[in-house]
Amino acid sequence: MSSTRLINHLRANEVVESDRVSVQTVETFRGATSELQAFVESTWSEAYTGRMTFPVWSEQYFDWQLGPRGDEPDRRLAVIEDGRPVAVLLGAPCYLQTPTATFHGSNWSWLSVAKTHRGRGLAKTLDEARVDLERRDDSELIVSFRYTGSRHSLAERPSQRFPLKRFHSRRGFWARPLHGNRLHRWNLNRTEGLLSRLATPLMPRAKWLAVDGIRLFDRGDLEACQEAAVKQFEHCVLRVRWDTVSLRHQLSESPISQTVVAEHGGKVRGFVNFHILPFQARTREPVAVIDLICVNQLPARRQAALLTSALGLMREQGAILALKLRSGDVSSALMLATGFTPRLPDSNLVLQWTQSVRPTPRHKPIHLLWR
């Protein structure tokens, strides 16, 4: 190749690389929640509809999870092209605890890259941007999950390339059918759906009964619920630290979040907190995601009555299925007694440290939010 042709070739590459860098510039998403929700939904729908099950997060859900919280930085990271997002990665702050320390952390999820922009390194660029953001905020840990239960999943697979990123353990769900016939039609796995339809009538009846001290959460219950959360998760080697500020946000700062409490001895001693989202499989149906089950200050029968009533409320609102992350933070005996079955692990829990790794046992109970 002549020197002139070589120079022109290098200049052409410089233009391409320059364009790529400009496309890959990460910034805070400043648009409306509706635009963010529409992009995430369309990206996931294009990639997974008819292939695997996925949640369809609503505007209301994103406002709850990603809205401003005091002095926390905005964790809505995006790559924008022609005024529209082509890739996003989203996070929410939290405080975490081990038996010996409390530290600042965050939950990250909802990685979405438009089909036209995959293969350009945007996921890596967004990942680097979030680590930089968390370091600047003195945040030590990024918590996230990678779904690998389907060959169609685009989630990151385990790797040793990043020493501060640990694929900590495999996690699955507790699953409780609520509407057998609709669940059968919805499930991509026809055999599993049929078994759910046949098993649902044999399970303890899930019925919402606001009687005998089992009722909906009231703002005056916050301190009692915070005490119940501390007691429930104190045995976990890694857990969300629920103070009154964070628990108020979780329980009462969005209509999407619902909580049922149970009184015992004249005081609230336990609660169940959940939200309902559409999940896309063969059809689109509401699914209840349980975030917190805090019941160990209640007698065993009272625990079961509370959880069964909460399941009844979910069913009354149209949910066909209830899911709870299986991580050892709630008694297996309670879950089995109320009709839940353990599903095989289908996700990797990823603990991504920003400074140095805090050793976390793999087979001990943890309490984290599935996002």
Side-chain angles (χ1 to χ4, degrees):
M1 182 182 292
S2 69
S3 60
T4 302
R5 290 177 62 196
L6 177 60
I7 290 171
N8 289 338
H9 175 74
L10 292 174
R11 285 176 175 169
N13 280 346
E14 287 174 1
V15 171
V16 171
E17 290 303 315
S18 175
D19 288 346
R20 180 171 293 180
V21 169
S22 68
V23 169
Q24 292 183 339
T25 299
V26 177
E27 57 189 88
T28 301
F29 180 78
R30 301 295 186 188
T33 304
S34 58
E35 181 185 6
L36 179 64
Q37 189 279 332
F39 172 72
V40 173
E41 179 178 347
S42 65
T43 302
W44 284 61
S45 294
E46 179 277 325
Y48 298 133
T49 297
R51 301 180 182 93
M52 70 179 224
T53 303
F54 61 93
V56 183
W57 297 284
S58 64
E59 289 183 49
Q60 198 174 49
Y61 180 90
F62 279 151
D63 283 336
W64 175 43
Q65 291 296 299
L66 307 175
R69 301 192 201 180
D71 296 330
E72 291 287 346
D74 194 326
R75 288 175 166 84
R76 298 175 301 162
L77 299 182
V79 177
I80 305 295
E81 186 176 280
D82 297 328
R84 295 184 297 180
V86 295
V88 301
L89 183 59
L90 312 172
C94 63
Y95 276 90
L96 299 162
Q97 282 184 291
T98 67
T100 59
T102 298
F103 51 94
H104 195 194
S106 55
N107 292 295
W108 285 79
S109 186
W110 311 288
L111 174 63
S112 307
V113 180
K115 183 179 181 179
T116 54
H117 287 70
R118 290 176 199 148
R120 301 189 186 186
L122 297 187
K124 181 181 178 182
T125 300
L126 285 164
D127 182 38
E128 291 170 348
R130 75 170 164 187
V131 172
D132 289 343
L133 183 155
E134 297 299 349
R135 284 178 176 154
R136 291 195 303 271
D137 197 43
D138 293 325
S139 174
E140 293 190 36
L141 178 60
I142 296 165
V143 175
S144 55
F145 292 86
R146 307 287 190 275
Y147 177 71
T148 56
S150 168
R151 63 185 176 87
H152 300 289
S153 174
L154 299 176
E156 177 186 23
R157 264 47 180 186
S159 165
Q160 302 299 321
R161 291 180 298 163
F162 308 104
L164 295 180
K165 181 187 288 187
R166 300 295 176 89
F167 282 72
H168 176 270
S169 54
R170 298 277 293 163
R171 298 289 169 177
F173 284 89
W174 290 104
R176 173 51 156 95
L178 298 174
H179 277 281
N181 290 336
R182 288 165 54 200
L183 184 57
H184 183 202
R185 292 192 296 270
W186 169 84
N187 204 317
L188 286 169
N189 185 320
R190 303 298 286 180
T191 301
E192 187 179 83
L194 176 60
L195 292 174
S196 296
R197 189 185 75 182
L198 296 175
T200 301
L202 305 177
M203 294 177 178
R205 188 181 182 191
K207 186 175 182 180
W208 168 237
L209 293 172
V211 295
D212 193 26
I214 294 176
R215 55 176 175 79
L216 294 178
F217 170 85
D218 181 86
R219 287 178 179 268
D221 300 326
L222 181 62
E223 289 189 8
C225 288
Q226 195 250 339
E227 180 181 334
V230 169
K231 294 290 185 182
Q232 181 73 37
F233 306 125
E234 60 187 357
H235 67 296
C236 295
V237 296
L238 177 64
R239 61 190 185 273
V240 177
R241 189 200 74 178
W242 293 110
D243 58 18
T244 53
V245 174
S246 59
L247 194 61
R248 181 185 298 112
H249 180 270
Q250 175 69 26
L251 302 187
S252 63
E253 294 189 353
S254 171
I256 197 172
S257 179
Q258 302 184 64
T259 304
V260 180
V261 304
E263 298 174 1
H264 183 67
K267 181 180 178 182
V268 169
R269 297 289 186 180
F271 68 95
V272 174
N273 171 252
F274 67 94
H275 57 276
I276 296 176
L277 283 173
F279 273 57
Q280 180 69 48
R282 293 178 67 89
T283 58
R284 184 173 292 192
E285 290 279 9
V287 171
V289 178
I290 301 174
D291 279 336
L292 296 100
I293 300 177
C294 299
V295 294
N296 66 2
Q297 295 186 99
L298 295 168
R301 288 187 179 181
R302 195 74 170 149
Q303 294 180 20
L306 168 60
L307 184 49
T308 300
S309 289
L311 291 169
L313 183 59
M314 300 168 201
R315 188 179 190 280
E316 189 176 278
Q317 295 178 14
I320 64 167
L321 178 70
L323 297 173
K324 166 69 177 71
L325 182 68
R326 192 152 52 90
S327 61
D329 63 350
V330 65
S331 161
S332 296
L334 171 64
M335 303 303 281
L336 293 169
T338 50
F340 285 85
T341 56
R343 296 177 59 90
L344 292 174
D346 57 11
S347 299
N348 288 307
L349 167 62
V350 179
L351 303 180
Q352 186 170 356
W353 303 90
T354 64
Q355 307 293 337
S356 60
V357 173
R358 291 180 183 265
T360 308
R362 290 177 181 271
H363 304 296
K364 297 289 186 180
I366 60 173
H367 166 64
L368 298 170
L369 298 181
W370 178 74
R371 295 291 182 260

